[in-house]
Amino acid sequence: MAQKQDVKIGLLGAGTVGLQVARILHDQQQELAARAGANLVLSAVAVRDTSKVREGLDQSLLTTDIDAVINSADLVIELMGGLEPARSAMLKALEAGKTVVTGNKAVLAQYGPELYETAARTDANLYFEAAVAGAVPVVYGLRESLTGDRINKVLGIVNGTTNYILDQMTTHGWSYEQALHQAQELGYAEADPSADVGGRDAAAKCAILASLAFHTRVNLEDVPVKGITEVSAQDIKQATESGYAVKLLARAERVIVEGEEQIALGVEPTLVPQSHPLASITGPYNAIVLETEFAGRLMFYGAGAGGAPTASAVLSDVVAGANHLVSGGHAPRESVYAALPICEPGRVETRRQVRLEVADRIEMMAEIAKIYAVGGVSIASLTQSPTETVPTEATLVISTHRAQNSQHDGITAALAKSPIVHKIASEMSIE
């Protein structure tokens, strides 16, 4: 049997995921070599502090010199996170014709075209399965498995932190603050959770998925974002009573606006009917539903974060990349032939549910109905109940039929000005 070729691997970053990748490369080296058709040799690891002991990692491989790691490698794994120096390092590696594997959704969402173009120009390979949903192979599905189909809609829970928080609020009746504290205690949320709870992490993943699904360049700035920080225990209680679960959903779908096909995008807390497959996703898990022209509805589900699941996705790309290096072939190139326009957020059609605290007077219903009629939005259902603390107030929960966001926003503004409405307690889209 011929001796296998060595593929030298440079690792940028030795945090939770990086350490897991290094350990698996060492512990599973024979099996990985059999799959890749090459010996995967970790040649150097770039870290900020070489004096820090990292259990299971050969200290002699550590360096602070990113360029040296890139120059010594055939394949570069970028797991530093953040925009810089990650972006510059990936560009340098691609310029040198190196294969790059990354899990960096922030760089891909903001600078993806620059990376794709560099890879195409230098005939280098760029892999990024780990950038969206950890071990869940949705990137591979969109880039390769479903290239013979037409994707009409992508809808998913792509942030495990927020799903855990909302799940705990639902299960235990906790406030947002209580659930966030628990998530931080268990390591599901960072000390600074703003990227997760503010929705920006999900928006970056939404941009990547939309780009792949619709063969169109979609940037982070194209995705309207609303996080979960204002979701209250009462919102969760009301949703449950109405037959919904509250989920932070990333959405990308084809829509027709004045006869033109466009892409509607968004990340926001959404009321999901209990019958929908995404309503049952609990804990820090991810799930993405694809609605396709020929295969119908497909769902990808699994662990969306953590060292081992993310390392699994990284190593799947490493095996593929190493195999291409020794056997020929390359990763799928960027596909942007469709170049669909992005739908203006105000023109996207949604259903909404609004919870109001109103003056409990005879004319109240007529006033509310008039606001919706003038705004051109049809009411699908309305329930009224007395408030627990103020006898002269009532709580209204109004669900609408589909209308443009601009119409919904106009009604919200009118409700806020109405003397009969004391408070707009919450407002969410309905899936």
Side-chain angles (χ1 to χ4, degrees), residues 131-327:
V132 181
V136 183
V138 65
V139 170
Y140 182 88
L142 289 171
R143 285 182 102 188
E144 300 195 48
S145 300
L146 293 169
T147 51
D149 210 331
R150 173 183 166 91
I151 311 299
N152 293 320
K153 184 176 181 179
V154 180
L155 186 71
I157 298 165
V158 294
N159 182 274
T161 299
T162 53
N163 199 58
Y164 177 83
I165 291 171
L166 293 171
D167 183 37
Q168 296 306 297
M169 292 175 70
T170 302
T171 303
H172 301 295
W174 289 348
S175 68
Y176 162 77
E177 289 77 16
Q178 288 174 304
L180 172 59
H181 178 72
Q182 177 75 0
Q184 290 172 321
E185 289 280 305
L186 295 173
Y188 293 141
E190 302 287 346
D192 177 7
S194 56
D196 292 320
V197 299
R200 191 168 177 84
D201 174 84
K205 295 169 182 175
C206 182
I208 294 168
L209 292 174
S211 298
L212 296 173
F214 305 121
H215 307 279
T216 297
R217 284 183 177 172
V218 178
N219 298 315
L220 178 61
E221 291 72 23
D222 294 324
V223 184
V225 183
K226 182 180 180 182
I228 67 167
T229 56
E230 295 181 8
V231 176
S232 68
Q234 183 59 36
D235 293 334
I236 300 289
K237 181 175 181 290
Q238 178 60 55
T240 303
E241 291 173 353
S242 301
Y244 296 107
V246 179
K247 300 292 182 182
L248 183 72
L249 292 188
R251 171 195 304 274
E253 63 181 316
R254 297 177 191 268
V255 296
I256 302 298
V257 179
E258 296 182 355
E260 180 184 46
E261 189 173 67
Q262 300 184 2
I263 303 173
L265 301 162
V267 168
E268 63 178 329
T270 304
L271 296 170
V272 181
Q274 293 291 353
S275 59
H276 195 284
L278 291 178
S280 63
I281 307 304
T282 58
Y285 284 85
N286 284 188
I288 299 98
V289 173
L290 306 179
E291 294 186 6
T292 74
E293 192 79 16
F294 309 121
R297 176 185 280 183
L298 305 171
M299 187 165 107
F300 295 77
Y301 165 78
T310 306
S312 169
V314 169
L315 286 161
S316 72
D317 282 344
V318 170
V319 168
N323 185 263
H324 284 147
L325 283 173
V326 298
S327 302

Side-chain angles (χ1 to χ4, degrees), residues 322-381:
N323 185 263
H324 284 147
L325 283 173
V326 298
S327 302
H330 56 73
R333 300 300 188 200
E334 183 188 26
S335 174
V336 291
Y337 70 86
L340 298 175
I342 306 301
C343 185
E344 295 176 16
R347 304 188 76 171
V348 175
E349 288 190 353
T350 58
R351 297 178 62 212
R352 287 196 193 178
Q353 186 180 92
V354 182
R355 180 160 53 88
L356 306 174
E357 294 176 9
V358 299
D360 192 4
R361 300 203 297 262
I362 293 174
E363 69 273 19
M364 178 265 293
M365 285 290 193
E367 173 69 14
I368 297 298
K370 180 180 178 182
I371 289 173
Y372 275 85
V374 171
V377 176
S378 173
I379 294 175
S381 67

